[in-house]
């Protein structure tokens, strides 16, 4: 079976919500829309406090080259533009909107977002420039977590020809099921979006990669892609199968050069959720206003998959899922391997948030940290084939030469090394510090 | 609205709120293989060796193991107290050093040899470098090397033999020495089952293989090391055999006899003093096997595992330097 080299097998714990159909959360009383939800620059507000907005109205335009615009997921009134804190700890400006009047909800909302016809033939009739324009004005960013603006990703430098589009349906992080449910419940927009991305890039081949622990998703997409020429690659269940470089290695046996990006080997990778948003933007002309979030973990009373408006506070999600259990110990936005722990329940959901996980003390139990016993397990599992223990040491010693020698910038913080380390050393945390150090030194 | 018997949750009005805390990702970690668990694995893996040594050497084995265990634990306590560090007996590493050290000593060696070897193992082998994880050499082998020089008589080939002993195995020379002196060859079955004289843990090939497989399967030991040792020793023994077709000491005698397997599975695999990357581990193993055979052929000693391991320990930083894995996508 196709896979990448190294990696780990963390407990999957997907079954908490794998079989639960997506539920639609009732419209919240307010939403908080951070102006920076993506990699790159914040967007510029185009609304003022006390202004009325309706569902889907732009509230913000992405001005800078790498930024994305933002739309209101509800109808209501702008309260204020003020600072909020994201789950990753960044303080950013945000637009606070109080919902007022009629709201689209329940089945009608589902139909609005995923319903209708999703053309899969005659994709040639869509002009690439128009597709890009639609993606840009819909404010689409990568929904797998990285949140890189999609229109930028699809317009690589003129010299690079893209021959393959990979659609990422791996969802290799434990617990999460947002992409899985999307592939089962709304395969239409995913496939249509994949075709549109193929059209933009001019790639001959479109492949959807799915891990073999999701046979239902494979079935669903096989049916939906019938006659479209899209291939499905079933991949081994292993973390981080869904990381771009690892996915490319697994499916195409190509290696993205160190410091390079997928276009360097003629590939562009997009998440299934992103593909669905692209379809919605191009076919229906509608922006990103909602996303699917798995609210799960042993610390959640009644775990669910939810369709939620961007900007809704995690508090509402938790309440809708029966609240936290008393042994909940850590809340995580995203997956448990790369997500961010936070404690402020007023934190809003962003476009890149695929999950809200409540872990209990038992789940996160950490053994006492001992010295590195040089067992080399971190080396064995690192998908980038780095030497994490040396990077951590170099970071502790603030030794820039050593950091460079061991290619610190190759690390994409997947967490495999820290997961496996028998000595319980916080390798990723140390490496992150080392990275910051090395970036800072280069700026000088 | 919600099922009545749902667990008490924070959203119940007056219910206390769970205590949340933050930490860096990843938020999960495996618990199957902690430092402590790896040490306990070694203790589990040596049980077949202990059983054979109790069976063959009786109370000699019991005494030696008790002495070294007590010595190593005492040394750990005393030295950590002296450095004013918190005591680390719970990591079991001193226990492992004690057992491995005892199993590498001859049964008749007097008690003070065991005690001194223990204190040198822990003190000079480990603590001086800064404790667990910092040492360059395998602690047990440091202790053994010290007493080998300080008490040459007790540790030389003759130290293994006690003609008066009620224990059969101990009235004869070790197979390695007998061959070196007189050319006498032990039967392969005796080497396989372990009914011969030798260091307490080394005699039985089958016990070493069982314990060694367990360690490799648990990934507590990296398989690259024993494979490297056995391959290179086998190849060298094969060449020696071809050069001297008359010799009755075959490749299998070389592999099953002496402490080659004990060394390959239990001594060379100490993670701290062996290389980090898989390729380095293999090179390390090959080096150990090579030096074992070189010492067996050309040195005055019948066996060479200890020096071979110490030598390769010294080369480990260099091997690590040569075998930095090539980063994914690096030219
Ligand atoms: S896994 Fe942990 S203990 Fe082992 S070499 Fe890496 S950092 Fe050291
Ligand atoms: S060093 Fe970086 S890339 Fe390698 S396992 Fe650790 S976090 Fe992942």
């Amino acid at each position: 079976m196709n896979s990448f080299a190294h990696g780990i097998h963390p407990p999957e714990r997907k079954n908490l919500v794998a079989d639960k159909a997506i539920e639609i959360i009732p419209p919240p009383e307010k939403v908080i829309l951070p102006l920076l939800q993506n990699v790159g620059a914040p967007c510029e507000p185009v609304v003022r406090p006390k202004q009325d907005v309706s569902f889907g109205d732009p509230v913000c335009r992405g001005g800078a080259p790498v930024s994305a615009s933002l739309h209101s997921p509800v109808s209501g009134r702008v309260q204020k533009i003020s600072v909020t804190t994201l789950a990753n700890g960044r303080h950013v400006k945000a637009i606070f909107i109080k919902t007022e009047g009629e709201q689209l909800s329940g089945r009608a909302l589902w139909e609005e977002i995923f319903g209708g016809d999703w053309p899969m033939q005659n994709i040639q009739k869509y002009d690439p420039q128009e597709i890009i324009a639609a993606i840009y004005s819909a404010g689409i960013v990568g929904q797998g977590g990285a949140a890189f603006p999609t229109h930028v990703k699809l317009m690589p430098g003129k010299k690079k020809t893209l021959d393959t589009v990979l659609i990422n349906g791996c969802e290799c992080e434990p617990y999460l099921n947002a992409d899985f449910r999307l592939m089962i419940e709304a395969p239409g927009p995913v496939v249509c979006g994949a075709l549109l991305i193929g059209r933009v890039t001019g790639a001959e081949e479109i492949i959807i990669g799915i891990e073999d622990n999701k046979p239902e998703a494979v079935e669903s997409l096989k049916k939906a892609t019938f006659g479209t020429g899209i291939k499905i690659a079933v991949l081994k269940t292993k973390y981080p199968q869904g990381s771009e470089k690892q996915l490319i290695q697994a499916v195409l046996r190509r290696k993205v050069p160190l410091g390079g990006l997928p276009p360097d080997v003629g590939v562009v990778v997009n998440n299934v959720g992103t593909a669905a948003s692209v379809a919605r933007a191009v076919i229906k002309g509608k922006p990103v206003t909602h996303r699917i979030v798995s609210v799960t973990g042993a610390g959640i009373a009644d775990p669910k998959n939810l369709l939620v408006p961007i900007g809704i506070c995690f508090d509402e999600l938790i309440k809708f899922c029966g609240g936290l259990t008393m042994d909940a110990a850590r809340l995580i936005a995203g997956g448990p391997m790369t997500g961010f722990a936070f404690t402020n329940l007023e934190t809003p959901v962003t476009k890149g948030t695929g999950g809200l996980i409540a872990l209990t003390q038992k789940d996160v139990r950490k053994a006492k940290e001992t010295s590195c016993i040089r067992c080399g397990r971190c080396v064995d599992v690192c998908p980038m084939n780095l030497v994490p223990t040396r990077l951590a040491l170099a970071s502790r010693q603030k030794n820039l030469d050593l950091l460079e020698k061991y290619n610190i910038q190759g690390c994409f913080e997947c967490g495999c090394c820290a997961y496996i380390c028998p000595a319980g050393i916080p390798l990723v945390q140390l490496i992150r510090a080392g990275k910051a150090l090395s970036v800072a030194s280069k700026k000088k | 609205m919600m099922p009545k018997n749902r667990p008490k949750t924070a959203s119940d009005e007056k219910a206390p709120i769970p205590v949340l805390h933050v930490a860096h990702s990843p938020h999960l970690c495996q618990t199957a293989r902690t430092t402590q668990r790896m040490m306990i694995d070694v203790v589990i893996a040596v049980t077949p060796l202990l059983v054979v040594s109790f069976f063959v050497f009786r109370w000699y084995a019991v005494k030696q193991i008790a002495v070294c265990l007590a010595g190593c634990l005492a040394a750990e306590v005393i030295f950590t107290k002296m450095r004013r560090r918190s005591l680390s007996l719970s990591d079991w590493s001193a226990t492992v050093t004690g057992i491995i050290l005892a199993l590498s000593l001859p049964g008749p060696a007097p008690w003070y040899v065991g005690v001194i070897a223990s204190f040198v193992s822990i003190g000079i082998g480990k603590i001086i470098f800064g404790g667990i994880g910092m040492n360059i050499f395998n602690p047990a082998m440091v202790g053994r090397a010290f007493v080998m020089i300080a008490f040459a008589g007790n540790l030389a080939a003759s130290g293994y033999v006690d003609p008066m002993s009620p224990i059969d195995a101990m009235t004869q020379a070790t197979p390695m020495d007998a061959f070196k002196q007189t050319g006498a060859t032990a039967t392969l079955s005796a080497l396989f089952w372990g009914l011969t004289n030798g260091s307490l843990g080394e005699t039985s090939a089958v016990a070493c293989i069982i314990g060694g497989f367990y360690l490799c399967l648990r990934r507590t030991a990296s398989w690259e090391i024993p494979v490297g040792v056995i391959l290179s020793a086998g190849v060298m023994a094969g060449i020696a055999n071809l050069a001297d077709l008359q010799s009755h000491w075959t490749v299998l005698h070389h592999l099953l006899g002496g402490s080659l397997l004990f060394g390959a599975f239990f001594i060379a695999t100490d993670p701290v003093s062996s290389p980090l990357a898989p390729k380095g581990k293999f090179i390390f193993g090959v080096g150990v096997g090579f030096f074992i055979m070189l010492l067996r052929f050309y040195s005055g000693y019948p066996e060479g595992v200890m020096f071979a391991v110490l030598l390769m320990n010294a080369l480990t930083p260099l091997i690590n330097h040569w075998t930095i894995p090539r980063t994914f996508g690096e030219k």
Side-chain angles (χ1 to χ4, degrees):
Chain A
M1 176 138 342
N2 285 347
S3 188
F4 64 98
H6 307 285
I8 55 170
H9 296 278
E12 293 176 30
R13 309 218 174 115
K14 299 247 186 203
N15 50 8
L16 282 169
V17 287
D19 295 332
K20 298 199 177 161
I22 300 166
E23 289 180 44
I24 299 140
I25 203 166
E29 271 165 30
K30 66 159 191 292
V31 289
I32 304 174
L33 299 170
L35 301 188
L36 181 63
Q37 310 199 359
N38 48 275
V39 175
C43 50
E44 290 296 322
V46 294
V47 290
R48 298 172 318 279
K50 302 220 176 73
Q51 184 174 335
D52 287 329
V53 291
S54 30
F55 175 78
D57 279 357
V59 291
C60 217
R61 286 216 185 285
V66 184
S67 72
S69 45
L70 196 56
H71 305 78
S72 176
V74 293
S75 303
R77 173 171 290 214
V78 177
Q79 280 184 305
K80 56 176 178 177
I81 298 176
S82 167
V83 173
T84 188
T85 307
L86 299 183
N88 62 14
R90 276 180 95 155
H91 303 288
V92 295
K93 265 209 208 155
I95 303 177
F96 290 66
I97 299 176
K98 192 167 169 353
T99 46
E100 276 171 9
E102 276 291 291
Q103 301 293 335
L104 208 51
S105 67
R107 220 46 231 176
L109 183 63
W110 177 273
E111 281 302 316
E112 157 72 23
I113 293 177
F114 295 118
D117 272 344
W118 300 101
M120 295 185 193
Q121 307 299 337
N122 272 332
I123 296 296
Q124 268 63 29
K125 74 170 186 251
Y126 298 94
D127 175 61
Q129 284 313 315
E130 278 166 23
I131 299 178
I132 293 275
I135 292 172
Y136 172 69
S137 51
I140 302 176
V141 304
Q143 290 176 10
F148 193 77
T150 303
H151 66 276
V152 182
K153 200 174 190 174
L154 296 181
M155 290 190 301
K158 296 259 157 9
K159 275 166 278 161
K160 285 168 189 151
T161 45
L162 300 174
D163 56 37
T164 311
V165 168
L166 284 185
I167 301 295
N168 189 351
C170 288
E171 204 165 49
C172 57
E173 280 256 16
Y175 289 96
L176 302 188
N177 275 289
D179 291 348
F180 174 67
R181 292 311 310 181
L182 176 71
M183 289 187 277
I184 290 183
E185 295 185 44
V190 174
V191 175
C192 175
L195 291 166
L196 288 166
I197 294 170
R199 172 77 180 122
V200 176
T201 53
E204 297 109 53
E205 201 153 37
I206 305 172
I207 307 174
I208 306 181
I210 308 175
E211 284 188 335
D212 65 349
N213 61 350
K214 305 178 186 65
E216 301 92 334
V218 173
E219 264 320 296
S220 160
L221 283 179
K222 270 201 178 136
K223 239 184 253 155
T225 52
F226 185 77
T228 58
I230 296 181
K231 290 192 191 131
I232 311 262
V234 182
L235 307 168
K236 198 168 149 195
T237 302
K238 189 160 84 167
Y239 179 84
Q241 192 71 266
S243 138
E244 289 196 340
K245 291 182 178 181
Q246 276 55 46
L247 187 66
I248 293 170
Q249 186 188 20
V251 178
L252 301 169
R253 305 265 130 235
R254 296 183 200 168
K255 275 194 178 182
V256 179
L258 182 65
L261 290 168
D264 296 336
V265 291
V267 185
V268 64
V269 183
N270 281 281
N271 170 271
V272 285
T274 315
S277 295
V278 168
R280 183 167 141 75
V282 176
I283 308 297
K284 297 190 172 179
K286 292 293 168 66
V288 180
T289 51
H290 287 70
R291 69 155 298 142
I292 303 167
V293 178
S294 289
V295 184
T296 176
I300 294 277
D302 185 15
K304 289 178 167 131
N305 296 303
L306 300 176
L307 179 68
V308 305
I310 308 292
I312 189 174
C313 291
F314 284 120
D315 194 24
E316 305 265 350
L317 271 51
I318 293 170
K319 272 191 202 137
F320 190 74
C321 294
L324 297 175
T325 60
M326 271 321 290
D327 53 353
R330 199 180 293 178
L331 290 180
I332 299 157
M337 294 303 295
T338 58
F340 299 97
F342 64 97
T343 51
N344 179 5
L345 299 183
E346 283 282 283
T347 307
V349 168
T350 63
K351 293 176 186 172
T353 310
L356 165 62
I357 300 167
L359 297 178
T360 61
Q361 200 56 50
K362 205 168 110 249
D363 298 325
V364 297
R365 181 188 47 200
K366 264 263 189 242
K368 193 178 95 228
E369 183 182 340
T370 66
S371 318
C372 168
I373 52 167
R374 299 188 221 157
C375 62
R377 293 296 289 139
C378 51
V379 183
D380 296 344
V381 298
C382 176
M384 294 303 289
N385 216 15
L386 297 164
V387 189
T389 171
R390 283 293 145 87
L391 290 173
L393 185 75
S395 163
R396 275 199 171 121
Q397 299 172 340
K398 305 205 188 321
N399 183 335
L400 288 167
D401 296 335
L402 209 57
L403 285 172
E404 289 312 314
K405 182 175 156 201
Y406 282 95
N407 289 328
I408 181 122
Q409 296 305 340
C411 170
F412 64 108
E413 301 174 23
C414 66
C416 291
C417 50
Y419 173 84
I420 211 77
C421 176
I425 298 170
L427 291 163
V428 179
Q429 191 180 336
L430 288 164
I431 293 173
R432 227 175 252 149
K435 256 188 185 177
L437 213 65
S438 116
V439 168
S441 81
K442 276 186 197 142
K443 280 207 184 118
K444 267 179 212 153
Chain B
M1 191 174 84
M2 276 171 212
K4 282 208 185 84
N5 59 348
R6 77 195 155 89
K8 247 207 152 86
T9 67
S11 59
D12 289 323
E13 280 309 318
K14 271 162 267 126
I17 290 165
V19 185
L20 297 176
H21 59 95
V22 294
H24 284 265
S25 66
H27 304 283
L28 300 178
C29 71
Q30 57 86 22
T31 48
R33 204 185 306 99
T34 58
T35 304
Q36 183 196 37
R37 181 61 223 253
M38 287 172 75
M39 296 297 170
I40 294 175
D41 269 346
V42 179
V43 176
I44 295 172
V46 293
T47 16
L49 281 65
L50 291 176
V51 170
V52 173
S53 73
F54 291 152
F55 180 76
V56 177
F57 301 101
R58 317 271 153 153
W59 52 274
Y60 283 98
V62 178
K63 183 206 71 181
Q64 200 63 269
I65 288 161
V67 165
C68 291
L69 258 182
C72 282
L73 292 175
E76 180 92 10
V77 173
I78 293 169
F79 288 128
T80 36
K81 282 273 146 67
M82 276 166 55
R83 293 170 70 226
R84 296 177 207 287
R85 293 288 163 86
S86 61
L87 197 54
S88 52
L89 288 185
S90 66
D91 68 19
W92 286 66
S93 86
T95 311
V96 166
T97 305
I99 295 176
I100 299 289
L101 173 64
L103 291 179
S104 73
L105 292 175
W111 64 270
Y112 50 84
V113 169
V115 171
I116 291 170
S118 299
F119 271 74
V120 174
S121 289
I122 299 291
I124 298 182
K126 188 167 85 172
I127 302 284
I128 270 196
F129 290 98
I132 185 171
M134 312 302 252
N135 47 302
I136 292 174
F137 297 103
N138 184 314
M141 290 302 103
V142 171
R144 191 182 190 277
F146 182 84
V147 290
M148 182 135 181
I149 295 158
F151 303 95
N154 292 120
L155 271 283
S158 60
Y160 284 83
V161 185
D162 179 0
M164 296 295 126
S165 171
I167 289 162
D168 270 357
M170 279 173 57
T171 58
Q172 293 145 19
T174 65
M176 299 304 288
D177 190 45
F179 175 70
K180 189 134 199 158
Q181 304 306 330
T182 66
T185 40
T187 65
L188 281 174
S189 88
L191 295 178
F192 183 73
W193 295 110
L195 306 170
T196 62
N197 200 356
S199 300
L200 296 175
E202 73 179 29
T203 62
S204 168
V206 64
C208 291
I209 292 172
I210 293 173
F213 265 69
Y214 172 77
L215 279 188
C216 292
L217 282 178
R218 285 277 310 159
R219 302 263 211 133
T220 291
S222 304
W223 59 267
E224 291 91 346
I225 295 176
V227 166
V229 175
I230 293 167
L231 265 184
S232 76
V235 168
M236 285 189 61
I239 294 170
N241 255 239
L242 289 180
D244 177 10
L245 290 170
Q246 309 307 318
S247 173
H248 298 295
W249 200 260
T250 64
V251 176
L252 272 180
H253 283 91
H254 268 299
L255 294 184
L256 302 184
S259 46
L260 190 130
L261 290 176
F262 177 57
F265 283 113
F266 291 92
I267 300 175
T269 52
D270 168 36
V272 177
S273 51
S274 58
L276 275 170
K279 207 202 277 169
K281 286 172 178 166
F282 184 72
I283 294 174
F284 177 88
V286 167
V288 169
F290 173 80
F291 283 117
I292 291 176
M293 297 311 287
L294 209 65
L295 290 164
R296 280 185 180 178
F297 291 148
Y298 299 112
S299 80
Y301 297 107
E303 181 56 290
V305 171
M306 177 188 78
F307 286 123
V309 170
L310 288 173
L311 196 64
M312 290 311 291
N313 286 164
L315 291 180
T316 293
L318 208 58
I319 298 178
N320 273 335
H321 184 78
W322 290 332
T323 56
I324 300 174
R326 182 178 305 172
T327 306
F328 183 99
E330 194 175 22
K331 295 251 164 51

